[in-house]
Amino acid sequence: MMTWAGSRRWSSTSMECVTRCSTRGCNTSWTRWWPSWQPTPPRRFIYAEVAFLARWWRQQDEATRRTVRQLVEQGRLEFVGGGWCMSDEAAAHYSPAIEQLALGRHFLRREFGACGTPRVAWQIDPFGHSRQLAAIFAQMGYDGLFVGRVDYQDKATREQLREMELLWRASTSLPPPTADLFTGILPNVYNPPSGFCWDQLCSDPPVVDEDSEENNVDNIVSTFLQIAASQAEHYRTNHIIMTMGSDFHYENANLWFKNMDKLIAHVNARQANGSRVHVLYSTPSCYLWELHRANLSWSLKMDDFFPYADGPHQFWTGYFTSRPAFKRYERLSNNFLQICSQLEALAGMAARDGPYGPGDSSVLREAVAVAQHHDAVTGTEKQHVADDYARQLAAGWESCQLLVANALASLSGSKENFVFCNALNISVCPLTEAAGCFTVILYNPLGRHVSWPIRLPVNGASYAVTDPQGQPVPSEVVPISNFTRRLRGDGSSATRELLFQASAPALGFSTFTVSRMSRGDPRVPPAQTPVLSQPREIQNEHVRVLFDPLTGHLKEIQNLDKSISLPVFQSFYWYNASIGNDETPQASGAYIFRPNSSEPIPVSGSKQVSTYLVKNRLVQEVHQNFSSWCSQVVRLHAGQPYVELEWTVGPIPVADGWGKEIISRFETTLQTDARFYTDSNGRQILERRRDYRPTWNLSQTEPVAGNYYPVNSRIFIKDKKFQLTVLTDRSQGGSSIFDGSLELMVHRRLLYDDNRGVGEPLVELGANKQGLVVRGRHLVLLDTVESAADQHRLLAQELFMAPYTVLAPGGGPSYRRGHASLQQFSALRRELPPNVHLLTLAPWDAGTLLLRLEHQFERGESANGSQPTTVDLLNLFSAFTITSVQEMSLGADLPLDAVSRLVWTPTTGPAQPRPVPKLDPSRVTLQPMEIRTFLATVQYKVPGGGPAGL
């Protein structure tokens, strides 16, 4: 990277940037490493993604490491971003986004000290930018953010107004400037100016300054000065930035630096003839420092940068849904990683070195971190790369399962033969299919108790289930649906499923015993068979769902607790994917969504869907078949205040020559005034308006794709009284294309590439090479506007941090001689308040645990939930005793009182940071949307003995 200073007037302060950056926080002087004989500042380089650095670093000898550390201390090698990867901002949930940033920053701090701490967030390639991730960057201590891709209309407007650099207020709940982040939009995404690319992949001519007929110095310098002057018209200070590099560049760094050395020398030589341009090697933090020194006020942005388009018919909104199976696997993997980390923290050394072998959470932690990459969870990678991401996650699961087994044995006191059935979503589990007796351990990672439906494949007709106290638990056995039979192929012999409702305490587990009953047992209930007639309704204590008896479609939802009724029609449709011909040159692909018509086609082909009803004490289900490749179960479990829609889609047929983009659409009578609401990375909620952008006058060219937004956890519509909310189990694209409606894209299969870098169509053949089949869930809530957040906030966390089921044959030996096993365990002395979420509990450095607590409500969205809450950390946990606590920044690599950020002034007036209050660990107060991070030193309680440290 190079900084260009004084394109309108030359400024000598540009050289002070070099001095400032080389000494900032590092206690070194540039005079130590800049020899007096060197005519120009030394070469500089920036590096972003730590996963690759860490792999390379492990292979280097100590001499090479010393050289790198010296370059970092001198400010010549600067780390930007500093996450394990440069994460996506649409499909990435905030929890793993925080984790991957913390993982990278922890590595840099450990290996390079204070000089390795990134000051600048560097998101130059993601395809749109989220408000929640900006808030995360601000709370991690970054001085600013640089982005490469913004909508082409937005960029043109900002260039005209000279607002390419702005102040982003990334939260309406946190007091300014807590979530304020200076944001700069780079002029050329991440590319060099046209004609100035000197990598071996480039074809631009090199700088020839010898005495030769090919000497091109005058032409190159004049062209460069014209570009600099033109670019300077769009920025406000006498400093401008030019990125010198691009994707896959610096394969031959000498080509770059040799030509840039010449360019710098010859451009600066023009100053003798009156040029006002001075050029130097620089870094983003140096440039940011000079902008801060300018002491200007900056325009304020409150929304986000979605959706992103790079042309009139080129909306990058398809990747919100691309590779839906991998998106779900990434979500499940993070869920399991949090459980693995929690159990490692609760059991200590016993989890890492127990009877089942050495357990290790780092393999899954690094795999989940890499999966956040902007070409991973997005689904915008080649198929073989997606397969490799999945392979890395699978290896992480295996390593964590050992750790979970060790921890459960230690905490429960029983060395069971633990079994992990990873295909329960398609009813495959050899243990439960064959065993006459087995145990079910339900672990709950949330800070409050949960009630959770258990569904296991079996072959018996009836089973007895008992809870941790030996009391009977109601259960039912139902036939496995035809949908599931088709999904699993020959992977299971089970003909039935066992259902029962299990509960588990906060941050703990409950153990249930399951026994097959003989046919003559008087406790065996009479067998039930599906009702094949068209269902009219299903109902539990809280919700009634009505169906059209003629068509089989859902037609109405009733909230019985609030006496609310709303007509809701739901069905599946598909958009024809543009194929990229002469008439419509832009095709739908992994990145871009472009239907060739605004009207989707019903999957069912007709207005009728075939249905049948399953109804018993525990669950009521309507099975809907829309086509040979699209089906759904509308389900009400006893006691649940929401409707569950379990959809199964695929293989998407393409024999007709059309790629297809499948949606689930809800149509209601709500008067929504073109407004709908989506989450930001699973946390903040943003209002969306159809065919509208808050910061510029939109010229809409794609009425469907141009109104799609990322839905990481929920989307809702509302009027003045009622709200309909749909929660997702993975990231998807969603919208409200007409008033009273909302839709979610669940699957897509395309026949053409969109020419944005993948180089292959998004076909996804699946394991049987016939086409990918995807199963997922939507949870539907109907409530009053005033009460809706109280429901969807808690339910979204329950869906994201779901309880996990571990199985065992039962009868395992005692873990500790003379100590009885525990059938139930909670690591908390008391439950956390409903508006407080245990975001992170994991081992950190030797002797310490990392603990993050968050307030999960926004300011003003709930009368009770949005109130501040106080927690006593010292008396919170029962598994260990906290002996000392230090509050840290969100990334956990800096003490909170050591964080010093540049304070920027918006045009609305300055906001001064508040001093960090003295920590009282017995009274930790959380304000709406606040995340507080702690390093806790702990002592463990060993049965039969005193406390023991890590």
Side-chain angles (χ1 to χ4, degrees):
M1 169 177 286
M2 291 194 284
T3 297
W4 311 87
S7 54
R8 285 178 295 282
R9 61 179 183 83
W10 181 78
S11 169
S12 61
T13 61
S14 59
M15 210 55 70
E16 296 175 17
C17 173
V18 178
T19 307
R20 174 67 178 179
C21 281
S22 64
T23 61
R24 188 174 189 187
C26 300
N27 297 317
T28 60
S29 171
W30 60 268
T31 56
R32 252 178 50 194
W33 52 271
W34 188 358
S36 59
W37 50 263
Q38 191 166 318
T40 59
R43 296 168 173 178
R44 290 177 168 234
F45 193 77
I46 61 171
Y47 192 92
E49 297 184 301
V50 175
F52 295 103
L53 174 69
R55 174 174 289 190
W56 176 84
W57 186 256
R58 292 163 187 154
Q59 300 171 356
Q60 304 312 304
D61 57 28
E62 191 53 39
T64 302
R65 292 184 177 185
R66 280 197 303 269
T67 300
V68 176
R69 288 190 179 105
Q70 185 180 29
L71 290 171
V72 173
E73 290 171 2
Q74 294 167 349
R76 298 176 65 188
L77 174 59
E78 178 176 301
F79 298 116
V80 293
W84 205 243
C85 68
M86 186 186 298
S87 72
D88 174 54
E89 300 197 36
H93 192 276
Y94 75 94
S95 171
I98 290 172
E99 294 273 355
Q100 75 87 19
L101 278 168
L103 182 62
R105 290 175 65 92
H106 187 53
F107 174 89
L108 294 176
R109 188 79 176 184
R110 184 180 69 243
E111 299 296 338
F112 302 102
C115 289
T117 302
R119 306 289 311 194
V120 173
W122 189 248
Q123 294 288 105
I124 59 170
D125 202 15
F127 332 121
H129 303 280
S130 76
R131 191 166 81 172
Q132 179 56 44
L133 201 59
I136 288 170
F137 284 131
Q139 292 172 84
M140 283 200 176
Y142 290 90
D143 286 325
L145 162 70
F146 287 97
V147 301
R149 301 183 188 273
V150 296
D151 185 278
Y152 74 103
Q153 293 185 49
D154 188 8
K155 184 176 181 180
T157 301
R158 290 185 176 280
E159 286 181 333
Q160 184 178 7
L161 298 175
R162 290 172 63 191
E163 291 185 354
M164 291 286 281
E165 292 162 334
L166 57 121
L167 188 62
W168 195 352
R169 182 151 292 165
S171 174
T172 55
S173 295
L174 299 173
T178 305
D180 288 1
L181 189 67
F182 182 90
T183 303
I185 301 168
L186 299 176
N188 302 305
V189 186
Y190 46 64
N191 298 305
S194 179
F196 293 84
C197 182
W198 292 306
D199 191 77
Q200 66 187 38
L201 298 174
C202 306
S203 57
D204 293 339
V207 180
V208 180
D209 55 0
E210 292 86 3
D211 185 10
S212 165
E213 292 182 357
E214 297 181 353
N215 186 302
N216 59 2
V217 168
D218 285 345
N219 181 57
I220 282 183
V221 170
S222 296
T223 300
F224 179 81
L225 292 174
Q226 291 172 4
I227 292 173
S230 176
Q231 180 179 319
E233 294 304 313
H234 306 314
Y235 293 83
R236 295 182 58 202
T237 74
N238 64 328
H239 299 270
I240 60 172
I241 191 170
M242 289 188 179
T243 48
M244 303 301 286
S246 191
D247 225 356
F248 303 105
H249 281 208
Y250 287 89
E251 293 188 8
N252 187 337
N254 184 57
L255 286 176
W256 270 111
F257 283 116
K258 182 178 179 180
N259 283 280
M260 287 192 291
D261 286 346
K262 292 181 179 181
L263 181 67
I264 290 172
H266 289 295
V267 169
N268 290 344
R270 287 281 185 99
Q271 295 170 17
N273 297 323
S275 171
R276 295 175 294 172
V277 175
H278 186 84
V279 188
L280 69 155
Y281 287 111
S282 188
T283 66
S285 66
C286 293
Y287 176 68
L288 199 65
W289 177 253
E290 289 301 321
L291 296 184
H292 187 262
R293 282 167 53 97
N295 198 28
L296 301 176
S297 60
W298 305 89
S299 62
L300 195 65
K301 181 178 178 65
M302 303 289 287
D303 58 323
D304 63 5
F305 288 98
F306 286 116
Y308 164 65
D310 59 357
H313 302 286
Q314 299 155 5
F315 282 90
W316 297 40
T317 54
Y319 80 95
F320 300 159
T321 299
S322 295
R323 301 196 187 279
F326 181 74
K327 280 179 164 65
R328 178 59 180 158
Y329 191 31
E330 175 274 330
R331 185 67 59 89
L332 284 170
S333 297
N334 179 74
N335 191 168
F336 190 53
L337 172 63
Q338 300 310 313
I339 289 169
C340 181
S341 298
Q342 287 182 3
L343 285 169
E344 185 178 8
L346 297 178
M349 284 296 298
R352 296 187 284 274
D353 188 16
Y356 306 96
D360 185 5
S361 61
S362 66
V363 180
L364 185 56
R365 180 169 289 105
E366 292 184 6
V368 171
V370 167
Q372 305 313 307
H373 188 270
H374 58 273
D375 279 316
V377 69
T378 54
T380 54
E381 64 273 37
K382 292 180 182 291
Q383 184 62 56
H384 77 274
V385 179
D387 294 342
D388 186 61
Y389 285 134
R391 180 194 60 78
Q392 292 183 52
L393 290 173
W397 277 74
E398 290 179 5
S399 185
C400 254
Q401 283 172 353
L402 288 174
L403 193 150
V404 168
N406 287 332
L408 286 177
S410 173
L411 295 171
S412 69
S414 178
K415 288 191 288 187
E416 295 284 356
N417 181 21
F418 294 110
V419 175
F420 299 86
C421 288
N422 296 326
L424 285 176
N425 66 320
I426 55 171
S427 283
V428 175
C429 182
L431 173 65
T432 62
E433 293 170 36
C437 183
F438 57 90
T439 62
V440 178
I441 302 101
L442 183 68
Y443 179 80
N444 171 26
L446 294 171
R448 62 181 188 275
H449 77 280
V450 296
S451 179
W452 194 255
I454 302 294
R455 200 174 190 104
L456 302 170
V458 294
N459 282 303
S462 185
Y463 289 79
V465 181
T466 56
D467 67 13
Q469 290 75 41
Q471 298 301 307
V473 176
S475 64
E476 296 281 352
V477 174
V478 298
I480 287 179
S481 72
N482 292 332
F483 309 154
T484 298
R485 290 176 187 270
R486 182 169 60 89
L487 253 184
R488 69 185 185 180
D490 298 328
S492 172
S493 62
T495 59
R496 301 178 177 94
E497 289 179 317
L498 170 67
L499 312 179
F500 66 94
Q501 197 77 10
S503 61
L507 199 64
F509 63 81
S510 293
T511 302
F512 298 82
T513 301
V514 180
S515 303
R516 183 189 298 168
M517 291 192 289
S518 63
R519 292 181 181 272
D521 194 311
R523 295 173 297 170
V524 175
Q528 294 186 349
T529 57
V531 180
L532 299 179
S533 62
Q534 290 283 27
R536 292 181 178 271
E537 70 174 55
I538 55 176
Q539 178 180 336
N540 66 10
E541 306 95 307
H542 306 289
V543 183
R544 180 184 292 124
V545 183
L546 305 182
F547 296 83
D548 188 316
L550 297 178
T551 67
H553 283 99
L554 186 154
K555 74 171 186 177
E556 185 175 328
I557 299 176
Q558 298 175 2
N559 181 328
L560 302 178
D561 299 324
K562 303 286 181 67
S563 299
I564 297 171
S565 178
L566 180 68
V568 180
F569 173 84
Q570 184 272 335
S571 192
F572 290 90
Y573 302 82
W574 57 279
Y575 288 107
N576 254 348
S578 293
I579 61 176
N581 55 27
D582 291 338
E583 295 181 2
T584 56
Q586 179 58 64
S588 267
Y591 297 91
I592 290 175
F593 169 38
R594 192 187 181 202
N596 76 340
S597 170
S598 297
E599 293 297 324
I601 300 166
V603 167
S604 61
S606 66
K607 293 185 178 180
Q608 287 190 321
V609 295
S610 60
T611 62
Y612 69 86
L613 177 67
V614 173
K615 183 181 290 189
N616 55 50
R617 295 173 299 167
L618 299 181
V619 70
Q620 298 188 20
E621 300 176 343
V622 171
H623 294 235
Q624 300 172 309
N625 199 47
F626 293 85
S627 72
S628 62
W629 53 271
C630 180
S631 58
Q632 181 172 259
V633 178
V634 183
R635 180 178 293 131
L636 285 178
H637 286 285
Q640 74 181 26
Y642 56 87
V643 185
E644 177 182 329
L645 305 182
E646 184 181 70
W647 46 267
T648 305
V649 176
I652 299 173
V654 292
D656 57 4
W658 287 102
K660 298 177 179 62
E661 323 212 35
I662 316 304
I663 64 167
S664 173
R665 175 178 280 179
F666 301 78
E667 301 176 30
T668 77
T669 56
L670 293 174
Q671 302 298 309
T672 54
D673 193 26
R675 288 167 168 80
F676 58 105
Y677 301 81
T678 66
D679 66 279
S680 181
N681 304 108
R683 201 153 191 263
Q684 298 184 60
I685 303 295
L686 279 74
E687 180 187 274
R688 311 299 192 181
R689 286 175 58 185
R690 195 162 56 250
D691 298 331
Y692 173 81
R693 304 291 186 268
T695 50
W696 82 91
N697 293 324
L698 173 68
S699 175
Q700 184 62 277
T701 55
E702 288 288 329
V704 176
N707 284 304
Y708 257 63
Y709 289 86
V711 179
N712 210 275
S713 66
R714 76 210 80 179
I715 181 172
F716 61 80
I717 52 177
K718 64 180 181 178
D719 59 15
K720 294 181 179 179
K721 294 183 178 180
F722 306 137
Q723 177 171 316
L724 185 75
T725 306
V726 180
L727 278 70
T728 67
D729 65 354
R730 73 202 73 193
S731 294
Q732 298 173 331
S735 187
S736 174
I737 299 302
F738 55 89
D739 280 5
S741 76
L742 65 82
E743 65 187 55
L744 289 157
M745 186 182 294
V746 298
H747 199 358
R748 55 201 312 253
R749 186 179 184 185
L750 308 170
L751 302 180
Y752 297 89
D753 181 42
D754 53 14
N755 294 315
R756 289 306 185 276
V758 180
E760 62 186 36
L762 187 70
V763 176
E764 291 205 281
L765 294 177
N768 62 3
K769 305 303 179 184
Q770 301 301 307
L772 185 68
V773 181
V774 182
R775 170 170 284 178
R777 291 195 300 158
H778 290 150
L779 307 185
V780 184
L781 289 163
L782 174 64
D783 209 333
T784 62
V785 171
E786 294 80 11
S787 302
D790 293 322
Q791 289 232 45
H792 72 68
R793 283 290 178 188
L794 302 186
L795 186 57
Q797 287 294 6
E798 190 172 302
L799 186 59
F800 178 73
M801 290 281 280
Y804 186 76
T805 302
V806 181
L807 301 156
S814 175
Y815 184 81
R816 297 180 186 89
R817 186 176 300 175
H819 291 274
S821 62
L822 289 176
Q823 298 298 298
Q824 195 166 49
F825 166 82
S826 175
L828 298 184
R829 296 181 186 277
R830 60 187 61 83
E831 290 192 5
L832 288 170
N835 55 3
V836 175
H837 174 55
L838 178 62
L839 181 59
T840 308
L841 177 63
W844 194 241
D845 291 321
T848 58
L849 299 179
L850 174 61
L851 172 64
R852 289 191 185 96
L853 294 174
E854 67 164 320
H855 196 303
Q856 58 182 348
F857 281 75
E858 292 193 71
R859 190 177 302 278
E861 70 177 352
S862 166
N864 295 318
S866 296
Q867 297 302 313
T869 303
T870 300
V871 176
D872 180 358
L873 283 186
L874 299 181
N875 290 298
L876 181 60
F877 296 95
S878 62
F880 48 74
T881 300
I882 294 178
T883 58
S884 65
V885 181
Q886 183 179 26
E887 187 159 11
M888 307 294 288
S889 67
L890 183 57
D893 57 331
L894 286 171
L896 186 61
D897 56 12
V899 175
S900 176
R901 299 176 62 221
L902 297 179
V903 179
W904 304 84
T905 302
T907 51
T908 55
Q912 291 301 318
R914 301 180 181 183
V916 176
K918 184 178 179 181
L919 175 64
D920 178 359
S922 65
R923 292 189 57 81
V924 173
T925 300
L926 292 152
Q927 303 290 336
M929 284 286 105
E930 185 177 23
I931 305 174
R932 297 187 68 174
T933 304
F934 307 94
L935 290 183
T937 304
V938 303
Q939 287 185 325
Y940 287 90
K941 299 176 180 179
V942 178
L950 270 171

